[in-house]
Amino acid sequence: MTAIATLGSHCSLQVLKGAKDEGLKTILVCEKKREKLYQRFPFIDELIIVESFKEILDQKCQSILEENESVLIPHGTLIAQMSSEEIESIKTPMFGNKWILRWESDREMKEKLMREANLPVPKPVTNPKDIDKLVIVKRQGAAGGKGYFMAANEEDYNAKRNQLISEGVLSKDETLYIQEYAAGVLAYLQFFYSPLKEELEFFGVDQRHESDIEGLGRIPAAQQLKSTKVPSFNVIGNSPLVLRESLLDEVYTMGENFVEAAKRVVKPGMNGPFCIEGVYDDNAKFTSFEFSARIVAGSNIYMDGSPYYSLLFNETMSMGKRIAREIKTATETSQLDKITT
Ligand code: ATP
């Protein structure tokens, strides 16, 4: 029997609950310090206790996963804590496309795939001298918004960068990525592409709540002006959003373009869950600054089903359960190789 395995963090509860509901065995690779937390959940059949998630690369861990015929579900923690080489070297079959995760981690590759998918991306600024509009300055990799800052010109950029270096948030030799700031309503569009059905499903939308940038809006301008702190975009949590129905057609088009581009650029393509992240401006025009090529933590708000999935399924369907359903169907029809890498 196939088992579903994942790392204990991010969206692991949702993923394993969904797997259990589909009648599959569930395995959690769990850091020792979190053992007590995860033991609270009866739908987790087996815990593999590790000191660090990197132990998933060890023979011992991989053997247990192999004995259980496990499929590993990648999420943000895997990407944040392991290099692309390490992720690609994992022998356990991974749900979706493990090769595309490198395209998510590397800023230049990311931009290339987004352009290939025709997504409207914010203009990058290669030299701080050329900053003539409000920009956002980002670190490499999935830093979760920590240490990101906004700048209006070169002087502002240098002042904030130096301040963050002196506070130990940034290192001196770190390459920063600058792009134009897109103002508007944040929307993180969550999709699932089924290679078995060759169909794209729109799952839902979430918004991220980021500290300190969000808290700033609650402070009167006079106090904001006196503050010397450089506000960061550190993610604290997520909340649901539904879109104006007139925007849905374009949402599907963006998702389909992304799936098509991924098929061309990084085989076998964008299989399974993914997310296109951006901002709607005053003309309801979407600008996308980011994608995630795997399940996002924002899907945790819909553990009991999302508004858009309730239109597609006559049952409660979380993203975790949708993944498990795809794996179950593939197992029953001997097509696991179609949905894993
Ligand atoms: P993660 O991997 O957790 O998604 P990340 O480190 O790749 O994060 P981004 O998602 O690119 O970072 O950016 C973090 C946050 O910064 C976004 O959620 C958004 O609030 C803000 N942001 C990023 N780029 C832009 C932009 N061009 N215009 C406006 N806001 C932006």
Side-chain angles (χ1 to χ4, degrees):
M1 191 180 86
T2 310
I4 302 289
T6 198
L7 303 184
S9 185
H10 195 265
C11 56
S12 61
L13 290 170
Q14 182 207 155
V15 165
L16 296 190
K17 175 68 167 61
K20 194 76 205 164
D21 288 348
E22 286 298 290
L24 301 172
K25 181 174 178 183
T26 58
I27 301 177
L28 188 79
V29 180
C30 177
E31 289 170 310
K32 181 114 203 59
K33 63 178 185 202
R34 298 254 176 94
E35 187 177 357
K36 213 170 139 211
L37 167 71
Y38 286 107
Q39 268 174 349
R40 292 174 191 271
F41 301 97
F43 54 82
I44 304 177
D45 295 322
E46 192 173 331
L47 292 178
I48 302 178
I49 303 294
V50 294
E51 289 299 329
S52 131
F53 285 135
K54 288 224 180 199
E55 284 174 44
I56 197 167
L57 301 166
D58 297 348
Q59 190 52 42
K60 190 172 151 229
C61 200
Q62 298 211 20
S63 298
I64 303 175
L65 294 175
E66 196 183 330
E67 279 159 26
N68 283 286
E69 295 174 38
S70 311
V71 174
L72 184 69
I73 314 300
H75 56 54
T77 304
L78 185 81
I79 300 196
Q81 299 202 5
M82 270 171 237
S83 68
S84 299
E85 288 75 23
E86 287 171 330
I87 294 173
E88 287 164 5
S89 75
I90 294 174
K91 302 234 164 43
T92 311
M94 211 176 285
F95 185 66
N97 179 359
K98 68 177 172 186
W99 311 106
I100 202 171
L101 299 177
R102 181 184 282 274
W103 291 71
E104 174 183 334
S105 300
D106 181 295
R107 289 242 175 257
E108 257 119 63
M109 290 170 91
K110 171 174 279 176
E111 207 186 302
K112 188 170 169 221
L113 180 51
M114 291 175 82
R115 286 192 190 282
E116 181 79 23
N118 248 331
L119 286 172
V121 293
K123 210 172 117 209
V125 180
T126 41
N127 192 323
K129 282 195 181 67
D130 301 330
I131 302 175
D132 57 1
K133 284 200 183 85
L134 189 63
V135 295
I136 179 163
V137 185
K138 306 184 188 188
R139 307 173 71 188
Q140 291 289 332
K146 219 170 184 169
Y148 292 16
F149 62 94
M150 286 195 234
N153 51 43
E154 188 189 6
E155 197 191 342
D156 191 23
Y157 169 89
N158 285 332
K160 285 177 178 154
R161 179 171 168 266
N162 290 340
Q163 184 180 335
L164 290 171
I165 291 172
S166 70
E167 288 170 5
V169 179
L170 299 180
S171 64
K172 235 183 177 143
D173 48 5
E174 198 167 334
T175 318
L176 297 175
Y177 179 85
I178 312 171
Q179 75 180 186
E180 278 182 8
Y181 186 81
V185 174
L186 287 175
Y188 297 79
L189 312 171
Q190 305 174 16
F191 300 90
F192 183 92
Y193 178 72
S194 163
L196 299 181
K197 289 168 71 188
E198 295 188 0
E199 225 168 71
L200 177 75
E201 297 158 8
F202 177 47
F203 175 68
V205 196
D206 75 283
Q207 280 201 320
R208 269 191 208 164
H209 297 282
E210 296 160 332
S211 204
D212 329 297
I213 199 69
E214 223 178 89
L216 260 189
R218 298 164 60 101
I219 300 172
Q223 271 73 42
Q224 288 184 22
L225 287 170
K226 283 186 205 129
S227 164
T228 52
K229 189 159 191 275
V230 180
S232 78
F233 288 76
N234 195 17
V235 188
I236 301 297
N238 307 72
S239 63
L241 186 76
V242 283
L243 294 174
R244 281 169 63 174
E245 198 161 309
S246 56
L247 296 174
L248 284 186
D249 196 33
E250 194 204 358
V251 166
Y252 275 99
T253 305
M254 286 194 286
E256 270 163 1
N257 286 345
F258 192 77
V259 166
E260 287 310 314
K263 266 189 195 148
R264 290 194 296 272
V265 172
V266 48
K267 290 198 171 25
M270 185 61 265
N271 296 339
F274 67 99
C275 184
I276 296 177
E277 307 165 7
V279 166
Y280 281 100
D281 72 8
D282 51 344
N283 294 314
K285 187 182 158 299
F286 191 73
T287 301
S288 174
F289 49 73
E290 163 86 315
F291 70 81
S292 297
R294 34 82 198 171
I295 183 170
V296 287
S299 61
N300 283 339
I301 50 182
Y302 301 123
M303 290 198 209
D304 234 2
S306 72
Y308 298 101
Y309 259 16
S310 71
L311 302 171
L312 298 179
F313 296 90
N314 283 321
E315 62 179 304
T316 303
M317 182 64 74
S318 68
M319 187 53 87
K321 191 170 165 190
R322 180 66 189 87
I323 293 171
R325 177 74 50 94
E326 191 82 351
I327 294 172
K328 201 169 135 186
T329 311
T331 312
E332 286 165 359
T333 53
S334 310
Q335 297 184 86
L336 259 185
D337 57 330
K338 240 188 174 173
I339 61 159
T340 56
T341 41

